[in-house]
Amino acid sequence: MEVTSFLQWNPVLADPTGQRQAKPRTLGQTMVMDKGLGMYAFQDLLNTSSSHLDMIKLGFGTSPLYPQDLLKSKINLAKERGICVYPGGTFLEVAITQHAVDSFFDMIIALGFNGVEISNGTIDIDRKLRNELILRGMEEGLEVITEYGKKGWGSTIELEELIDTVMIDTEHGAKLVTIEARESGMGVGIFDQAGKCKDEELQKVLSSVNGQLLLWEAPLKSQQVHLISMLGPDIHLGNISPDELIALEALRRGLRSDTLSLGTRKD
């Protein structure tokens, strides 16, 4: 039998749903949180699954804790694979409290970041400053992702406030608005203290806000399964652990038992 040099999975096996967009995609984007990956692990992540990865957030204020050459290398490798890479929003909140916003932007531009997250998960930021920060990010040529919600245990979504936030943030240039769930996924936003989704609140949000403008932090597999089953594989999901990225992509495509029922192709 002749051996060919090029093999390709039958599309019905590679993506039973027949829906997954290739990069650069506008639907079903995935954000991974990097909480301290070394260079080998980071390279492995990109070599294994960069086609399934749209955004990398260097969690909280970890960015200045890396050796600078290593940090630059991580940023450049991500950008070479068409990935938006940005510091966690908490780091910008630190810059605000330390009156060092100009220094923050100067440094992330010099290091090569191509995105920025603007949040008020820990401190309060008034609307005027939030607008200025979004515009500053846009002027610097960065992809701006904002975040809605507080990190405190038991914090909830205030619907009218969320609607206003999404409308104003996106009008000023934000690409996506992240819904806070922290890295634990418990007791914050749309998740109760056990990490279960509060479906009634979720439906209220989606009845008032364009879901394609929202990036849902969903670090737990049970949350990912629930949201994909409920809203489809094109939902934007974030705070995904690096070692769960391929598994999440399998969920999106109906390649795991949890979502196998999604694999009824439309074509």
Side-chain angles (χ1 to χ4, degrees):
M1 182 177 71
E2 183 180 353
V3 178
T4 60
S5 59
F6 179 73
L7 295 173
Q8 186 172 16
W9 288 106
N10 186 320
V12 302
L13 297 177
D15 181 9
T17 69
Q19 298 180 49
R20 198 71 174 113
Q21 284 187 347
K23 291 172 59 175
R25 58 180 145 252
T26 57
L27 302 174
Q29 296 188 60
T30 298
M31 178 266 279
V32 157
M33 177 185 273
D34 175 355
K35 297 192 287 185
L37 292 177
M39 183 55 71
Y40 293 130
F42 194 81
Q43 288 175 319
D44 284 346
L45 173 68
L46 298 184
N47 289 338
T48 303
S49 47
S50 63
S51 61
H52 314 308
L53 177 53
D54 305 281
M55 294 166 278
I56 296 175
K57 175 164 67 175
L58 302 187
F60 4 102
T62 56
S63 297
L65 305 182
Y66 292 98
Q68 198 168 109
D69 288 347
L70 186 148
L71 178 59
K72 286 182 178 179
S73 295
K74 291 179 76 169
I75 294 168
N76 289 335
L77 284 172
K79 292 195 300 183
E80 287 170 4
R81 302 296 185 101
I83 295 167
C84 177
V85 57
Y86 55 95
T90 300
F91 193 29
L92 179 52
E93 294 182 47
V94 171
I96 293 168
T97 61
Q98 296 297 323
H99 307 289
V101 171
D102 287 342
S103 177
F104 170 87
F105 276 102
D106 289 345
M107 195 65 178
I108 68 170
I109 295 299
L111 288 168
F113 283 105
N114 59 354
V116 65
E117 182 178 58
I118 296 165
S119 69
N120 59 348
T122 304
I123 66 173
D124 291 325
I125 300 175
D126 64 34
R127 185 69 254 180
K128 180 175 182 292
L129 176 57
R130 189 176 177 100
N131 292 346
E132 290 172 353
L133 292 170
I134 294 171
L135 292 173
R136 174 73 178 270
M138 297 291 295
E139 289 167 359
E140 298 285 5
L142 300 170
E143 196 167 287
V144 178
I145 296 97
T146 60
E147 187 171 65
Y148 170 85
K150 293 295 184 183
K151 296 183 182 295
W153 178 266
S155 62
T156 59
I157 290 175
E158 301 296 334
L159 185 58
E160 293 303 319
E161 183 180 65
L162 173 61
I163 294 170
D164 288 344
T165 298
V166 173
M167 179 183 69
I168 299 172
D169 284 2
T170 55
E171 283 179 352
H172 281 77
K175 175 187 174 184
L176 292 171
V177 179
T178 304
I179 306 299
E180 177 68 66
R182 304 205 70 179
E183 66 272 21
S184 69
M186 296 182 181
V188 176
I190 61 165
F191 301 119
D192 66 18
Q193 60 186 10
K196 292 183 178 179
C197 185
K198 295 183 278 190
D199 289 348
E200 186 176 344
E201 290 193 17
L202 176 63
Q203 293 291 6
K204 286 180 180 178
V205 170
L206 293 175
S207 68
S208 305
V209 177
N210 180 354
Q212 290 307 319
L213 298 175
L214 303 178
L215 172 65
W216 300 92
E217 293 185 346
L220 305 181
K221 179 203 169 187
S222 59
Q223 297 166 351
Q224 298 158 18
V225 171
H226 184 79
L227 290 171
I228 290 171
S229 298
M230 187 176 181
L231 303 174
D234 288 337
I235 184 174
H236 304 307
L237 294 173
N239 276 19
I240 307 304
S241 174
D243 60 357
E244 291 292 331
L245 177 57
I246 288 283
L248 171 60
E249 188 64 24
L251 286 175
R252 288 190 185 276
R253 296 180 183 222
L255 290 169
R256 291 181 76 174
S257 62
D258 308 88
T259 56
L260 189 123
S261 62
L262 295 175
T264 303
R265 294 171 66 88
K266 305 299 189 293
D267 54 355

